[in-house]
Amino acid sequence: MNLVLVGVNHKTAAVDLREKLVSLFPEPQAVYRRFLEAPEVQEAVYYLTCNRVEVLVATESPEPAVSCCQAWFAAHPEVPPERLRESLYVRRDREAVRHLFRVAASLDALVVGEPQILGQVKEAYRQAARCRATGPILNRLLHKTFSVAKRVRRETGIGDHAVSVSYAAVMLGRKIFGDLAGKTALLVGAGEMAELAVEHLKGQGVARLIVANRTLERAVTLARRFGGEAVSLEELEAQLLAPDIIISSTGAGDYLLTAEQVRAAMRRRKHRPLFLIDIAVPRDLDPRINDLDNVFLYNIDDLKEVVEQNRERRRAEAARAEGLVAEETAKFIDWLQTLAVYPTIISLREKAGRICEAELKKTWPHLGPLTPEQEQSLKILTQSVTQKLLHDPIIFLKRNHRRKRPHQELDLVRRLFNLDPDRQDEPGRQG
Amino acid sequence: MSGLFLYPALLACLAAGALWLGFLLAQREWLCRAGVWVMGLSLVLLTLELAAVLFRAGRLPGANLGEALLLFAWALVAAFLFFYWRYPIKVLGALAAPLAAVAVSGSLILPSQTGTASPLLESFWLSIHIVLAVLGNAALTLAGLGSILYLIQERQLKGKRFGFFYHRLPSLEQLDALNYRCLTLGFPLLTGGIISGSLYAQYTLGRLWSWDPKEVLTLAAWLVYAVLLHERLAVGWRGRRAALLTLSGLVLLVVTFIGAHLWAAGYHSFSSFAQP
């Protein structure tokens, strides 16, 4: 069994080409039906994300399968063939497995380490399975893919380092508070980044959310949306007692909080640590606040700096992840090769079973009347003789599939036991 | 005969230190787990060594700086394992294990007792005094080590430099909690050590307090920790200030521990324990 992967991604094709190719896969049911109609395609799965369009096929005859996939991509009337030829890549067997693993582990992504891609591949696989387009090979390969992606995430730091500003803020909070569960956050003003940060904070278990805004009505609206409490901006100083994390994004022009105000509040807070995030430009919070003990102030540039450093780190971790992927690819290919020996093992067992039956049938008349127990033990006797005899050849097949010339050995065994009696190059010629 | 278990204990401490430094560098979980086991082994070996001294001399070790270091190493390893069991801060091992190794090697290098020890040291109450003081010192040493980690991590977060340590050290909250827990355990032990010593002095020398250098320095350290504990509970002091105070208390304790040995004048001095 061979694997073939054909597709384009963000590195080989511009977005306009990718869009056109996506339109070639309108509706999963119909697409898979057409794929499986082709005699050379045994199993298929395709996945479309904003950065890639790829088809993976398990086939007995790889070359026609590749042509079939290429023809599929070439079907779009607006895509010139030479442009497609430049963009389309074909990966076979080992390379196809490695490619899929790298995609799912987010090593082949635009932002290395972003986790969304795994979910997209999972969803694509679910669709393919629903359309009965996957079989033993792709089922196993896709499940393996998911576990490899998890392993990469667990054993390398590829996803540890936040590469978005809002998530970076949350990770910093965890280095200060350890656990964000049960903490209180105060949101001053609103904006896209602040809202994202609130989402992340809620995801980390932040228990209470206070929203402050210049007008109380707006604060109430926002608070309702996030499930928090509303206060007006005038109360800000009085509100400094409760929160552990303050995200400020009004950009009002002058400082909402000065170092003196925060210093006074810290005394009343009994010096409970305070983490302030100022994502407003111009800044909302007096930069001298950062000089106070147990107070940590980060502005938008600080957070961007964190993100840049984290990108660097991810690149370093990606190298380790590549090693893991290579290791898992080798394992899967090994498994794929053992598959080749199973039809032979099955034929061997079937042949042995047929011989047993035939010989027993010949023997029954000579034995006279037998009790059912005697019949049974005679059957068992013949079966165990053949099983014992076949044991070693089968072990030989299973153990030797990784040799350099597996096909020759397989061929030898098949000829030795005459498993293909109709073959033209009959042993009679050789001996 | 002396030091039969000391070399293996030293090796165990060094190995644990190496494992934890490896953990700090490579962040592999098994290194940390192995470090705990090797540290446990060194505790067993140190306990055996203590038992050997106890059996041979009929008194707790503590008659000279070498023996005191042995006792301290034992207490440090025990305290570390206790805190690790309750509040695991893994990277702390990278500081505690090498420190224990230094203490054990100090006890190997320093000359052992010449002559017999003062019979005063055989008293049960004095043993209580020594054990409490040493356990208190060990817990407060861990508080100090935790404070060093806190200050490093705080510097990273304040300075917005996210280097080697930022990713490897635990959160400020955890490090501060370690400081608090070590303090709440170490301070009563130290207090108990001072009280039992005073009572014993009253009983044998007829006076509670002699203004001996070791007593004065210990009192100073005790006051530092008392202020810290009070402010922590009453005003909520924590973080950087608590870490700095913990470290200054530790410096006083170290000066007391080592310095009292060099000050021959006081009756706490090790040289006065030996009888010609």
Side-chain angles (χ1 to χ4, degrees):
Chain A
M1 191 63 87
N2 297 82
L3 290 165
V4 169
L5 184 143
V6 182
V8 299
N9 66 14
H10 58 281
K11 283 175 203 150
T12 66
V15 63
D16 64 311
L17 178 58
R18 298 204 303 271
E19 276 166 3
K20 288 187 185 116
L21 294 179
V22 166
S23 70
L24 291 171
F25 298 84
E27 202 266 317
Q29 284 284 352
V31 171
Y32 280 120
R33 196 163 49 238
R34 273 186 54 206
F35 259 117
L36 295 174
E37 272 167 13
E40 55 271 22
V41 175
Q42 269 76 46
E43 301 173 34
V45 62
Y46 70 86
Y47 43 89
L48 318 166
T49 71
C50 41
N51 287 325
R52 64 187 67 248
V53 183
E54 288 175 355
V55 180
L56 177 63
V57 165
T59 171
E60 293 287 5
S61 37
E63 288 320 309
V66 168
S67 320
C68 167
C69 294
Q70 280 170 331
W72 189 288
F73 281 99
H76 199 286
E78 288 169 41
V79 178
E82 63 275 14
R83 207 175 155 204
L84 189 64
R85 214 176 306 125
E86 283 167 15
S87 308
L88 206 62
Y89 44 79
V90 177
R91 307 259 186 275
R92 290 155 212 266
D93 300 324
R94 184 179 297 270
E95 281 309 302
V97 173
R98 199 174 82 93
H99 185 87
L100 180 65
F101 285 175
R102 292 187 71 239
V103 166
S106 189
L107 290 169
D108 196 39
L110 187 61
V111 181
V112 170
E114 281 303 274
Q116 294 90 335
I117 181 83
L118 179 60
Q120 288 163 329
V121 175
K122 272 188 179 163
E123 185 48 42
Y125 168 63
R126 238 172 265 138
Q127 251 170 20
R130 221 175 288 138
C131 302
R132 299 180 191 287
T134 60
I137 310 277
L138 287 191
N139 283 339
R140 182 162 174 126
L141 176 58
L142 269 296
H143 282 125
K144 194 74 212 163
T145 304
F146 305 145
S147 76
V148 169
K150 268 189 215 134
R151 196 177 155 205
V152 164
R153 199 146 286 275
R154 197 174 54 236
E155 292 180 24
T156 73
I158 193 164
D160 290 354
H161 309 292
V163 292
S164 71
V165 167
S166 47
Y167 196 56
V170 170
M171 295 315 276
L172 280 167
R174 288 186 51 175
K175 275 289 175 189
I176 295 169
F177 298 110
D179 190 1
L180 296 183
K183 298 277 181 252
T184 300
L186 168 63
L187 187 63
V188 186
E192 192 192 352
M193 238 185 279
E195 286 177 27
L196 272 175
V198 167
E199 289 300 317
H200 285 305
L201 287 174
K202 294 219 137 176
Q204 296 283 333
V206 164
R208 191 173 156 216
L209 184 70
I210 306 169
V211 182
N213 214 289
R214 204 159 287 288
T215 64
L216 194 57
E217 291 85 45
R218 176 110 177 91
V220 170
T221 330
L222 284 172
R224 200 169 297 143
R225 207 161 97 223
F226 299 131
E229 307 150 36
V231 296
S232 99
L233 206 53
E234 283 84 64
E235 294 175 62
L236 188 60
E237 207 184 334
Q239 285 295 333
L240 283 180
L241 288 189
D244 304 289
I245 301 162
I246 300 179
I247 302 172
S248 186
S249 60
T250 66
D254 40 62
Y255 295 143
L256 290 176
L257 286 174
T258 64
E260 286 69 31
Q261 285 172 311
V262 177
R263 187 201 308 277
M266 283 310 282
R267 215 167 293 139
R268 283 180 290 141
R269 290 167 58 89
K270 284 202 158 190
H271 302 278
R272 262 188 310 119
L274 183 60
F275 178 32
L276 301 114
I277 304 152
D278 185 357
I279 44 186
V281 181
R283 286 177 291 180
D284 280 343
L285 305 174
D286 185 351
R288 288 179 303 135
I289 291 174
N290 194 41
D291 299 335
L292 300 171
D293 266 0
N294 296 317
V295 183
F296 302 88
L297 169 65
Y298 279 76
N299 66 34
I300 184 74
D301 281 1
D302 299 332
L303 291 174
K304 280 187 180 152
E305 178 66 31
V306 174
V307 166
E308 196 36 58
Q309 288 181 11
N310 286 350
R311 278 183 208 274
E312 280 302 314
R313 245 162 234 287
R314 278 196 177 189
R315 262 167 239 144
E317 290 296 314
R320 280 179 54 206
E322 295 283 2
L324 268 177
V325 165
E327 182 192 323
E328 295 287 351
T329 304
K331 277 194 214 158
F332 187 82
I333 293 296
D334 278 350
W335 176 78
L336 200 61
Q337 284 173 352
T338 55
L339 276 190
V341 306
Y342 279 100
T344 303
I345 292 174
I346 291 169
S347 327
L348 268 176
R349 290 205 175 119
E350 280 172 359
K351 180 162 185 177
R354 278 198 306 275
I355 293 172
C356 283
E357 255 173 53
E359 293 307 309
L360 278 172
K361 211 180 261 172
K362 271 193 235 163
T363 315
W364 294 135
H366 303 292
L367 290 175
L370 289 175
T371 63
E373 289 78 27
Q374 284 170 323
E375 271 184 31
Q376 188 60 29
S377 40
L378 207 56
K379 272 183 196 163
I380 291 173
L381 169 74
T382 55
Q383 275 164 9
S384 48
V385 168
T386 51
Q387 264 171 20
K388 293 247 160 77
L389 202 58
L390 286 181
H391 181 74
D392 286 323
I394 287 173
I395 293 294
F396 172 84
L397 279 173
K398 281 188 180 169
R399 284 207 187 129
N400 288 285
H401 66 273
R402 269 175 241 177
R403 287 245 178 105
K404 278 197 182 133
R405 296 170 302 163
H407 292 294
Q408 268 112 319
E409 284 185 350
L410 206 56
D411 200 48
L412 179 68
V413 171
R414 294 191 80 90
R415 271 170 36 202
L416 205 57
F417 288 93
N418 194 21
L419 295 176
D420 310 288
D422 320 328
R423 243 156 72 154
Q424 293 307 308
D425 56 352
E426 257 325 287
R429 197 153 38 92
Q430 280 145 0
Chain B
M1 219 8 231
S2 167
L4 181 62
F5 299 106
L6 268 184
Y7 280 103
L10 176 61
L11 281 180
C13 286
L14 286 173
L19 284 167
W20 260 307
L21 284 173
F23 172 73
L24 185 65
L25 288 170
Q27 302 278 286
R28 290 283 178 281
E29 205 50 40
W30 67 269
L31 285 167
C32 171
R33 277 200 300 275
V36 178
W37 283 106
V38 177
M39 201 75 160
L41 176 69
S42 78
L43 181 66
V44 170
L45 291 167
L46 286 168
T47 310
L48 285 173
E49 175 67 23
L50 282 182
V53 173
L54 199 63
F55 179 72
R56 196 171 56 240
R59 57 172 174 77
L60 263 188
N64 57 41
L65 185 60
E67 288 188 355
L69 279 173
L70 168 65
L71 202 55
F72 174 74
W74 173 81
L76 183 68
V77 172
F80 171 78
L81 287 173
F82 172 76
F83 280 107
Y84 187 86
W85 169 53
R86 297 303 304 276
Y87 319 104
I89 289 188
K90 291 167 184 164
V91 287
L92 192 61
L95 289 179
L99 186 62
V102 168
V104 176
S105 21
S107 125
L108 271 168
I109 293 163
L110 288 167
S112 61
Q113 178 97 22
T114 50
T116 50
S118 157
L120 279 178
L121 287 172
E122 288 175 23
S123 155
F124 171 73
W125 287 103
L126 193 66
S127 302
I128 295 285
H129 164 62
I130 294 174
V131 166
L132 286 177
V134 166
L135 281 174
N137 277 353
L140 293 169
T141 303
L142 284 182
L145 297 181
S147 295
I148 294 175
L149 295 180
Y150 181 95
L151 290 175
I152 295 173
Q153 182 69 302
E154 199 237 19
R155 222 177 126 77
Q156 306 261 320
L157 276 161
K158 279 271 187 195
K160 288 138 198 181
R161 283 181 306 266
F162 306 103
F164 180 80
F165 287 108
Y166 172 76
H167 298 280
R168 287 170 168 78
L169 296 188
S171 66
L172 291 180
E173 185 74 34
Q174 276 171 289
L175 290 169
D176 193 56
L178 175 77
N179 176 296
Y180 179 66
R181 280 160 187 152
C182 290
L183 190 64
T184 46
L185 189 74
F187 183 74
L189 286 170
L190 187 67
T191 313
I194 293 175
I195 291 174
S196 59
S198 303
L199 290 178
Y200 182 66
Q202 174 71 35
Y203 170 64
T204 51
L205 305 174
R207 55 181 191 277
L208 277 171
W209 196 261
S210 319
W211 297 106
D212 152 277
K214 194 157 183 172
E215 287 178 2
V216 175
L217 280 167
T218 307
L219 185 66
W222 185 86
L223 281 173
V224 169
Y225 287 120
V227 167
L228 173 58
L229 196 59
H230 175 264
E231 294 296 296
R232 244 188 189 286
L233 295 172
V235 193
W237 268 20
R238 67 177 85 209
R240 184 181 153 76
R241 208 180 297 181
L244 287 173
L245 261 185
T246 309
L247 279 178
S248 48
L250 183 62
V251 168
L252 281 172
L253 283 183
V254 170
V255 170
T256 315
F257 195 77
I258 313 271
H261 169 62
L262 307 169
W263 255 306
Y267 71 92
H268 263 110
S269 156
F270 292 115
S271 56
S272 70
F273 294 153
Q275 290 185 332

